Amino acid sequence: MITEQELLAFMREKAYKPMTYQELEEHFGIADAADFKEFLKLLNRLEQEGQIILTRTHRYGVPERMDLVRGRLQAHAKGFAFLIPEDRDHPDVYIHANDLKSAMNGDTVLVRVSSKSAGGGKLEGEVVRIVHRAVTEVVGVFQNHESYGFVIPDDKRINRDIFIPQEGFGGAVDGEKVVVQIVEYPEGRAAAVGQVSEILGHKDDPGVDILSIIRKHQLPEAFPEDVLAEALEAPDVIEEEEIARQGRRDLRDKVIVTIDGEDAKDLDDAVHVERLPSGNIRLGVHIADVGYYVRENSRLDQEAYNRGCSVYLVDRVIPMLPHRLSNGICSLNPKVDRFTLSCEMEFNDQMKVVNHDIFTSVIRTKERMTYTNVRKILQEEDPEVTERYADLVETFRLMEELALKLRANRMRRGAVDFDFEESKVIVDENGKPVDIVKRERSIAEQIIEEFMLAANETVAEHFHWLKVPFIYRIHEDPDQEKLMNFLAFVANFGYTVKGGKGNKVHPRALQTLLEDIRGTKEQTVISTMMLRSMKQAKYDAESTGHFGLAAEFYTHFTSPIRRYPDLVIHRVIREVIEGGGALSEARLEYLTSRMQDIAQQSSERERIAVEAERDTEQLKKAEFMLDKVGEEFPGIISSVTSFGMFIELDNTVEGLIRLSAMTDDYYHFHEQHMALIGERTSKIYRIGDEVKIRVARVNMDDHTIDFEMVDMKPRQRGGELFGGGGFDGGRGGGRAGKGGKAGKGGKIGKIGGAKGGGARGSEAQGGGKGAKGKKGKPGRGVGGSGAGSAAGSIGSAGGVALDAAAGAGAGEAVEAAGTPAVSFGFGSGKGGYASGTVAVARDAGGGYRAGGGGGGSRRKKTSASGIFVGAREDGAGEPAPRRKRGGGKGKSGGNATAAFVRKKKK
């Protein structure tokens, strides 16, 4: 009988041309009727799964040979989407909103690539077929329109409301949060049609907010009855006969402790250390043997696979396993016997593992320690706590010594260690947020972190060389384009990062940079940008290394109660140990076929869990700030975008100052420098800058917070320059001179100043009938035409000086110093989706480009700080040629001011 692998391999051959089922039947020599029936079933199944395509001429082929790409759709709130291909080497494909057909976020689809950029990096395409629907239910607010209704989705990536016919109301009333089952998917301009399947309660009722997020991400809640029944079969205690029967190593006499947070209930890791006679240190990491109780393909196992991991929301935990196991027989509770898998490592002075052993064991922990108490012993030397755990103090000191040495060794080899502050929202019994506290990363947390990392690396390498099917935790090298952009970005701050072979950068170079910037103003900005330039860690059946940890081998072995990959490799480990270090051929084949599927499922479930956790945290932080509208706080700019900038407060709450709310100037986004630059004042806002904000509003529908800048004055009307629009005033740093006189043609408007730098303007007499300009605001002085001279300077963060030559118009001689020439870019993404360099300027017709007179150009010239300066379009930044001085009536003499005046005159 022909197998799926044989059929797909045949269709992927270069010589293959799409065939009908009869031609395929003849090629494979299928004569038996039963075999032919199975063959047709196989063709139908593969076609349904999108692994093969049936053409209009009823011929079969694989998508990749038909210029089709299979992958998962990642939709954006603005309507467009990206295809994330299953083929990791294939770049992302941009899909316009009109080309999505009825596909929605998360769907598995086939896309035809319709256009490519010259370099082949940027691809655009259209959805040809939806293979699998990810969205079957939608959570949102119900709106009743009597004979019909709409549900406004909570998920903004679903950017069309769901139409509900009257018979689909299900008893829902206006304003209630509901779950809608999609009956018809959107086609063309038609909305999706659904029916209400569950009413969660009114959107303002307590608890409905978190419940909505749980339903939005389709997180499971209660365990099915058969799963709970299976969990009840697990014993409460471990019998001595069972220990003897399994032949586990007895470690109950060792000084083993757990160290966790105060509120942790599922204790899945315990540790012990001892100094050997040789001077080496032995570290034992003992992990709950969950796989012993959760058998392969049992209902418990299937449920754990579907959940993927435990989800830690603000006010609750959605566990991967029932509490009967996770808080009971599997939890390493103090002073009771527990089955474990142990990894013992012996470290020499250089922190090299000179011996290691991985085995099944039974332990009995001496104490259930908390991070707080270990910190009090080691850092604060609290007499009361130290006395209470007097017999363990030396053990903790040895743990501290080992952990610090392990960390130093990890830093030396080049692991990248981001030191971002994390926080926890404290809620009361009604789910109302009452406080936000920062999570500490004390020596106690570092001890457990370093010990778990060491165990994970040791286990990963051990089983890699045994060549058994396994699941690894991998972190791929950063995308080259993103990394090069990051290196160019840090160069603006005067930092250089040494590259390796072929434009690659070793993580050690990035860690050195993080150490160099520690404590500096730019630490936040550079750390954030570095993190954004990296890829996400994920699970994989192949060990390709972990870039961020600078580790060749890495896995997740230490948390089988809350992560499914850990549970799977525990089973493999025990099976290998019990099989004398090897697996049977049948098991080898079966496990190999399953591992990549488990890795992919686990990665996807992890992403969903992270999104849900982030959503609930954002929700509760917004709720926490509700009664603080109007209050002022200091903050740091955490992100800069083309629509505004995000400010993070000391309590880790983040809010947005919209571009429209920055009223003292017109600001442009500079992508390369990740900065907003004032058009007139050259004021620069970039990540890491300290600002003082006021809470303007809190939107509980979107869970967003809007801030506004304290003391930001509104833009003042700009006289008659640009018809009252243009360079209007902000705060100046000094007294400004009067604007120069101009030839007949109109008045010169006010020109506002740059904060922190005064300006001098000198009066220049025009040759003809002149009109005296209005008094200027502090800032730039513009000289008129004629025999006089003018000088102006801008004292700004950009460090730019503009000087007008004697006897010349202000647009004729420009000297720019400071930062490189500015251009403003928008948008970036994987697969080459960076927009490149886009010059941004408000087009004023004859407008911002000075010099030469006449109509304006759509390609604007900028100085080094983004100030628009006079230069010819064809001069590539060269000074405009000297023109005849103004002498006759209305002659402009070619200066910048006169060009503006002519525009007004029209």
Side-chain angles (χ1 to χ4, degrees):
M1 176 59 201
I2 180 80
T3 66
E4 176 183 324
Q5 286 75 18
E6 288 171 325
L7 179 61
L8 291 174
F10 172 62
M11 290 185 176
R12 284 173 183 144
E13 288 176 7
K14 284 190 176 179
Y16 177 79
K17 295 282 186 284
M19 293 182 177
T20 62
Y21 75 86
Q22 295 98 330
E23 290 168 335
L24 287 167
E25 174 197 4
E26 187 179 336
H27 171 82
F28 286 109
I30 300 170
D32 185 72
D35 285 350
F36 177 65
K37 189 175 180 181
E38 289 302 314
F39 179 64
L40 287 182
K41 283 183 181 177
L42 176 63
L43 285 174
N44 285 334
R45 179 173 65 79
L46 292 177
E47 204 249 326
Q48 286 293 320
E49 292 173 359
Q51 295 197 60
I52 62 175
I53 296 293
L54 181 62
T55 68
R56 281 174 291 184
T57 56
H58 302 289
R59 296 173 186 274
Y60 291 96
V62 285
E64 55 266 37
R65 297 293 308 279
M66 300 179 175
D67 284 331
L68 297 177
V69 186
R70 180 185 161 115
R72 187 172 51 84
L73 209 62
Q74 198 175 72
H76 191 275
K78 291 185 178 176
F80 62 86
F82 282 95
L83 180 82
I84 313 299
E86 289 180 356
D87 178 0
R88 291 186 220 156
D89 298 327
H90 197 289
D92 295 352
V93 183
Y94 171 81
I95 302 166
H96 190 275
N98 295 341
D99 297 323
L100 280 171
K101 305 293 189 287
S102 65
M104 300 171 81
N105 183 60
D107 288 355
T108 302
V109 296
L110 294 173
V111 166
R112 176 172 287 112
V113 176
S114 54
S115 68
K116 297 183 181 181
S117 65
K122 299 179 184 178
L123 305 180
E124 293 190 23
E126 59 179 335
V127 173
V128 170
R129 179 168 165 201
I130 296 156
V131 176
H132 173 72
R133 291 280 186 190
V135 180
T136 56
E137 290 183 339
V138 175
V139 177
V141 178
F142 182 74
Q143 283 187 344
N144 191 339
H145 295 272
E146 294 186 8
S147 58
Y148 62 91
F150 278 101
V151 168
I152 303 164
D154 285 356
D155 189 345
K156 300 307 172 193
R157 292 170 299 186
I158 302 171
N159 48 27
R160 281 194 267 184
D161 299 342
I162 315 295
F163 176 80
I164 313 292
Q166 195 170 26
E167 60 272 17
F169 283 12
V173 299
D174 204 63
E176 283 187 323
K177 274 283 177 83
V178 297
V179 180
V180 174
Q181 199 77 33
I182 295 182
V183 178
E184 293 176 28
Y185 286 88
E187 287 288 352
R189 295 185 179 183
V193 178
Q195 60 183 29
V196 175
S197 59
E198 185 182 0
I199 299 169
L200 303 178
H202 193 275
K203 62 187 178 76
D204 298 329
D205 288 349
V208 170
D209 47 8
I210 298 284
L211 191 57
S212 299
I213 290 171
I214 290 171
R215 291 288 190 275
K216 169 185 166 184
H217 294 284
Q218 297 180 32
L219 298 175
E221 284 189 286
F223 286 93
E225 288 300 322
D226 54 348
V227 173
L228 292 172
E230 209 171 89
L232 283 171
E233 294 171 12
D236 287 321
V237 292
I238 291 171
E239 303 292 341
E240 287 294 331
E241 302 82 53
E242 187 64 15
I243 297 171
R245 187 184 69 77
Q246 292 185 49
R248 290 174 179 262
R249 197 177 301 181
D250 193 340
L251 302 177
R252 287 177 288 183
D253 60 335
K254 300 275 187 188
V255 180
I256 299 175
V257 296
T258 59
I259 308 176
D260 290 275
E262 276 84 351
D263 53 355
K265 295 181 178 65
D266 48 351
L267 315 178
D268 48 13
D269 56 84
V271 293
H272 89 274
V273 292
E274 53 188 313
R275 198 182 295 278
L276 303 176
S278 63
N280 290 351
I281 300 175
R282 179 185 289 146
L283 165 65
V285 175
H286 314 282
I287 308 300
D289 190 357
V290 181
Y292 175 76
Y293 299 101
V294 181
R295 301 291 178 169
E296 189 175 51
N297 292 327
S298 64
R299 280 295 294 120
L300 274 168
D301 182 45
Q302 291 166 13
E303 185 69 16
Y305 169 83
N306 291 333
R307 292 180 178 230
C309 59
S310 296
V311 186
Y312 294 83
L313 304 180
V314 167
D315 65 342
R316 73 195 76 184
V317 177
I318 299 175
M320 184 179 81
L321 296 170
H323 291 303
R324 162 90 180 161
L325 292 174
S326 60
N327 297 357
I329 193 68
C330 293
S331 184
L332 306 183
N333 299 328
K335 299 180 174 62
V336 292
D337 293 348
R338 289 291 183 259
F339 286 156
T340 47
L341 276 181
S342 296
C343 175
E344 285 189 348
M345 299 151 279
E346 183 183 332
F347 294 93
N348 64 13
D349 283 345
Q350 288 75 45
M351 290 297 105
K352 300 290 183 196
V353 179
V354 292
N355 279 309
H356 77 273
D357 197 5
I358 300 164
F359 53 91
T360 59
S361 55
V362 59
I363 68 167
R364 183 183 295 157
T365 59
K366 300 295 183 211
E367 284 290 350
R368 185 253 196 263
M369 296 299 296
T370 64
Y371 292 129
T372 303
N373 283 340
V374 173
R375 187 188 75 240
K376 283 180 177 178
I377 292 169
L378 295 176
Q379 286 184 329
E380 299 171 18
E381 297 183 353
D382 184 295
E384 185 187 333
V385 178
T386 304
E387 187 181 344
R388 192 193 317 167
Y389 301 109
D391 55 336
L392 294 172
V393 169
E394 285 309 309
T395 296
F396 293 133
R397 290 200 174 124
L398 185 56
M399 285 183 180
E400 179 182 24
E401 179 190 332
L402 177 60
L404 292 176
K405 284 181 177 177
L406 284 171
R407 176 177 166 73
N409 188 56
R410 195 161 56 84
M411 293 300 105
R412 270 196 303 275
R413 80 181 185 201
V416 183
D417 186 36
F418 292 102
D419 196 16
F420 289 114
E421 286 187 328
E422 294 182 0
S423 64
K424 182 179 181 181
V425 182
I426 309 296
V427 296
D428 62 18
E429 62 278 3
N430 298 318
K432 183 179 171 58
V434 292
D435 197 9
I436 299 172
V437 295
K438 288 185 180 176
R439 295 181 193 270
E440 284 199 62
R441 196 184 176 203
S442 68
I443 184 62
E445 282 86 355
Q446 286 183 42
I447 285 171
I448 293 302
E449 183 181 318
E450 293 302 329
F451 289 0
M452 297 306 119
L453 288 171
N456 284 334
E457 286 186 46
T458 303
V459 168
E461 183 168 5
H462 181 92
F463 284 90
H464 171 78
W465 295 119
L466 282 182
K467 299 194 185 312
V468 295
F470 216 62
I471 292 178
Y472 298 92
R473 182 70 169 177
I474 68 166
H475 185 215
E476 296 165 301
D477 290 355
D479 177 77
Q480 285 302 302
E481 185 182 357
K482 285 188 177 181
L483 193 57
M484 290 304 111
N485 288 341
F486 170 71
L487 299 184
F489 172 73
V490 297
N492 292 313
F493 295 89
Y495 296 101
T496 54
V497 179
K498 292 179 182 176
K501 294 178 182 176
N503 278 342
K504 286 198 171 183
V505 173
H506 192 278
R508 186 187 295 110
L510 298 178
Q511 177 57 29
T512 302
L513 174 63
L514 288 176
E515 288 165 5
D516 290 344
I517 63 173
R518 188 160 288 136
T520 63
K521 185 182 176 184
E522 58 266 19
Q523 179 179 354
T524 306
V525 53
I526 292 178
S527 299
T528 304
M529 294 306 294
M530 185 189 295
L531 189 63
R532 287 178 187 171
S533 72
M534 292 186 179
K535 294 185 178 178
Q536 278 186 313
K538 61 181 180 180
Y539 297 105
D540 203 283
E542 299 294 324
S543 176
T544 57
H546 197 293
F547 179 84
L549 292 171
E552 193 174 350
F553 308 100
Y554 195 68
T555 189
H556 272 174
F557 159 74
T558 53
S559 294
I561 290 177
R562 59 187 180 88
R563 293 190 302 228
Y564 190 72
D566 305 50
L567 173 57
V568 169
I569 68 167
H570 270 229
R571 287 204 200 100
V572 174
I573 291 168
R574 193 159 17 82
E575 203 171 331
V576 169
I577 292 169
E578 291 169 356
L583 296 170
S584 68
E585 282 295 321
R587 286 298 288 164
L588 210 61
E589 187 179 330
Y590 171 75
L591 289 172
T592 302
S593 69
R594 290 278 297 130
M595 287 304 173
Q596 191 54 46
D597 171 60
I598 292 169
Q600 187 173 337
Q601 160 77 357
S602 301
S603 296
E604 288 174 4
R605 295 305 303 173
E606 179 188 44
R607 277 194 295 270
I608 289 168
V610 168
E611 283 180 21
E613 288 164 10
R614 193 182 294 136
D615 279 0
T616 55
E617 192 172 280
Q618 202 173 328
L619 158 73
K620 290 302 176 186
K621 283 182 175 179
E623 191 178 341
F624 180 72
M625 298 300 287
L626 262 177
D627 60 356
K628 293 168 182 60
V629 172
E631 292 184 29
E632 296 177 3
F633 299 91
I636 290 177
I637 300 174
S638 58
S639 181
V640 179
T641 70
S642 58
F643 52 83
M645 55 189 183
F646 288 93
I647 313 296
E648 187 176 301
L649 307 185
D650 188 52
N651 62 6
T652 71
V653 167
E654 202 171 48
L656 173 67
I657 297 181
R658 299 177 189 277
L659 215 56
S660 56
M662 299 175 70
T663 54
D664 65 338
D665 201 347
Y666 293 102
Y667 286 89
H668 296 289
F669 175 52
H670 187 335
E671 186 180 25
Q672 186 185 349
H673 293 89
M674 289 301 290
L676 288 173
I677 302 178
E679 181 180 286
R680 175 184 54 76
T681 60
S682 274
K683 182 160 179 58
I684 296 176
Y685 289 103
R686 66 175 76 200
I687 303 177
D689 286 353
E690 295 176 6
V691 292
K692 192 168 186 185
I693 62 90
R694 184 184 299 109
V695 181
R697 65 193 67 83
V698 177
N699 185 334
M700 286 309 296
D701 290 333
D702 296 337
H703 313 150
T704 57
I705 305 165
D706 280 2
F707 293 155
E708 59 191 16
M709 202 77 79
V710 173
D711 298 334
M712 181 170 273
K713 293 181 180 176
R715 285 184 287 266
Q716 297 177 19
R717 293 189 60 78
E720 293 183 42
L721 183 62
F722 304 146
F727 292 148
D728 38 24
R731 290 194 299 161
R735 189 179 154 281
K738 290 183 265 182
K741 295 183 178 181
K744 183 178 178 184
K747 296 178 181 178
I748 302 172
K750 292 187 289 186
I751 295 183
K755 182 180 177 183
R760 291 185 299 110
S762 71
E763 232 173 73
Q765 181 64 49
K769 185 178 176 183
K772 191 171 182 178
K774 292 189 179 179
K775 198 169 187 177
K777 285 272 180 186
R780 193 167 70 185
V782 179
S785 61
S789 67
S793 70
I794 298 178
S796 74
V800 182
L802 277 71
D803 298 315
E812 290 191 25
V814 175
E815 174 76 14
T819 54
V822 171
S823 54
F824 306 110
F826 292 86
S828 64
K830 181 173 170 262
Y833 283 88
S835 67
T837 304
V838 181
V840 176
R842 286 170 52 241
D843 197 350
Y848 292 13
R849 184 171 72 91
S857 164
R858 290 198 173 273
R859 186 175 174 209
K860 304 295 181 266
K861 297 294 179 183
T862 65
S863 74
S865 67
I867 292 294
F868 299 102
V869 295
R872 282 168 53 105
E873 174 73 15
D874 56 356
E878 293 297 317
R882 190 181 297 272
R883 296 176 70 91
K884 187 177 178 181
R885 293 177 186 169
K889 184 178 178 182
K891 296 282 184 184
S892 67
N895 69 44
T897 306
F900 297 148
V901 170
R902 275 202 305 279
K903 171 65 182 169
K904 170 66 183 163
K905 183 72 175 172
K906 291 178 186 176

